[in-house]
Amino acid sequence: MGADTLEERLERLARVRLACLPTPLCDAPRLSEELGVPIWLKRDDLTGIGLGGTKVRALELILGDGLARGCDVLVTGSGPHSNWSMLAALSARRCEMASVLCFYGNRPSDETGNLRLVQGFTGATVRFSGDLARTSVDALIEEVAAELEGRSHRPLVLPRGGAVALGSVGFYLGAREIREQADRVGLQAPGVWLATGSCGTQAGVVLATATGELDRVVGVSVSRPVAECAKRVHDLATAASGLLQLPAPDLGSVDVRDGWIGPGYGISSDEGQAAAALVARTEGVLLDPCFGAKAMAALVESVRTGQEKGPVVFLVSGGAPTLFAKDIAL
Ligand SMILES: Cc1ncc(COP(=O)(O)O)c(C=O)c1O
C-alpha cells in the first residue's frame, strides 16, 4: 500500500465546522493607490462566529480533537478582553461543551468589549487570578484543570492565545486558502502580512512557506520581543509540520518585525490608530487597535520606505469587540 497523501492526512483530522469558509480575499484599490503597491485584504474578520476572527480556524481542529477525546469542559484564559478566550468559549458552547475562562487581575467594574460578550453569550464560568501579572493565568488554568479532574471531568486545557501545534494546522489551512485565492486572481508571490501575539497564526502560515505553497510571510510583533517570537513561531511550525508529516521550516525563514508594540500589549498606539484610520477612510474596513492596526502601521512604513514592494495580502484577523472596550486588557 502506498504512503498516504497530505490531503488524506488533512481529511483524517477531527474537525468541527464553525467558520464560513473561504473568507473573502478582497482587493483594496484605494489603499493600494494611496500606498503605491497592490494590497489585498484577507477578511478573516468574517469567519462568522461571534464577531469573527482567524482564531476560529484553530478552534475547528482543537475542539474537534477535544470532542474526539471525550473532553467535556474547555479551560483557557488570558486578559478579560481577550479575543481568543471569548471565541474559544463561544465556539465550545456551539459544540455543547462548557468552558471556564481564567483571567488575570480582578473583575473590572466596567464590562465592555469581549468581557461583555463572554458574560452575555458564552455561558462560561469566569475566574480571576487576583494578580495583575499576565503569567498568573497559567497557574490558574492548571489549578482549575486539576479541580475539574478531581470532579471526574475531562478538561480540554489550552494555553493563553491557544498557541498549540494543532491550532497552527488550522492556520496552515488558512494559508492554503490564501494560496488558492491568490492563484485565482493571478497574484504573483504575495507577501502575507499579519499581527503576531502568541505566535500560532504566523507558525501556520510559515509552514505554508516551508511546503512552497506561499512565498513569504511577515509577522509584526504586538506583544513579545522578536527573538522570542521567532523561536515560538519556529517551534510551533515545526510541531505542526510533524503532525502533518511535512518539511519543517528553517528558523532563518521566520521574519518577525520589531518596534510596533507602542505603549504596550493590548494598548493602542498612535501609529496603529493612524494606519487604522487610513484603512477605514480608503476601504471602509475596521482594524482592531491591538493587532491589525499595529501590523498595518508596520506595513505602511515598510511600503513608504521602499522595502515592501508588494503584492501584499494583509490578514484582517478579527478583534472587533476590542473596538468597543473601555480599557483594553488582553
Ligand atoms: C484579532 C487578533 N489578531 C491577531 C492575533 C495574533 O495571533 P497569534 O496569537 O496566533 O499570534 C490575535 C491573538 O489573540 C488576535 O486576537
Side-chain angles (χ1 to χ4, degrees):
M1 213 169 68
D4 57 1
T5 64
L6 172 60
E7 304 311 319
E8 286 165 343
R9 272 171 258 147
L10 290 171
E11 205 51 48
R12 274 203 301 274
L13 292 170
R15 180 175 178 183
V16 287
R17 300 284 168 168
L18 297 168
C20 301
L21 300 177
T23 57
L25 178 67
C26 301
D27 65 342
R30 284 166 42 86
L31 180 62
S32 302
E33 192 182 326
E34 185 120 349
L35 294 181
V37 303
I39 313 272
W40 293 68
L41 300 176
K42 177 62 172 165
R43 298 294 307 273
D44 267 12
D45 54 325
L46 303 178
T47 48
I49 288 279
L51 300 182
T54 305
K55 297 272 177 177
V56 178
R57 295 182 184 275
L59 285 162
E60 288 199 342
L61 296 181
I62 290 170
L63 286 168
D65 172 65
L67 288 169
R69 291 191 288 112
C71 296
D72 58 358
V73 50
L74 175 138
V75 184
T76 191
S78 47
H81 283 305
S82 154
N83 300 308
W84 156 253
S85 291
M86 193 281 287
L87 282 174
L90 189 61
S91 301
R93 185 166 226 197
R94 163 111 178 246
C95 301
E96 297 182 18
M97 192 189 283
S99 55
V100 181
L101 296 181
C102 304
F103 294 143
Y104 64 80
N106 298 301
R107 183 179 289 280
S109 54
D110 177 74
E111 290 183 359
T112 57
N114 275 308
L115 185 56
R116 182 172 187 155
L117 302 183
V118 164
Q119 297 286 134
F121 298 109
T122 66
T125 301
V126 176
R127 300 265 300 258
F128 285 86
S129 71
D131 181 340
L132 282 180
R134 199 168 279 124
T135 47
S136 65
V137 167
D138 307 343
L140 184 56
I141 288 175
E142 276 181 36
E143 189 185 313
V144 168
E147 277 173 23
L148 288 165
E149 274 164 1
R151 286 191 269 129
S152 301
H153 283 286
R154 192 172 285 192
L156 172 57
V157 183
L158 295 165
R160 283 181 284 144
V164 292
L166 195 55
S168 291
V169 171
F171 301 129
Y172 167 66
L173 293 175
R176 284 165 58 100
E177 199 177 284
I178 292 176
R179 170 77 271 164
E180 280 171 28
Q181 291 172 316
D183 281 348
R184 222 170 296 138
V185 296
L187 273 188
Q188 298 291 327
V192 178
W193 281 69
L194 46 80
T196 290
S198 64
C199 302
T201 310
Q202 187 172 353
V205 186
V206 161
L207 182 54
T209 62
T211 60
E213 291 163 289
L214 285 176
D215 297 273
R216 56 199 180 91
V217 49
V218 182
V220 178
S221 176
V222 300
S223 136
R224 298 161 199 269
V226 284
E228 184 188 332
C229 283
K231 186 176 179 321
R232 282 175 67 94
V233 168
H234 183 252
D235 288 352
L236 283 164
T238 302
S241 74
L243 295 178
L244 296 176
Q245 299 164 46
L246 289 173
D250 295 331
L251 181 57
S253 72
V254 179
D255 185 353
V256 186
R257 301 292 164 93
D258 203 2
W260 299 97
I261 297 174
Y265 176 57
I267 305 171
S268 64
S269 67
D270 290 346
E271 301 86 347
Q273 290 316 102
L278 169 68
V279 177
R281 172 169 63 77
T282 52
E283 301 298 338
V285 172
L286 303 180
L287 298 179
D288 78 288
C290 306
F291 295 94
K294 292 178 181 180
M296 181 57 77
L299 171 59
V300 168
E301 195 204 55
S302 187
V303 168
R304 291 203 164 131
T305 55
Q307 291 168 51
E308 175 59 70
K309 297 187 167 48
V312 167
V313 171
F314 181 86
L315 180 66
V316 184
S317 49
T322 56
L323 290 162
F324 304 100
K326 186 164 168 276
D327 297 305
I328 313 165
L330 301 166

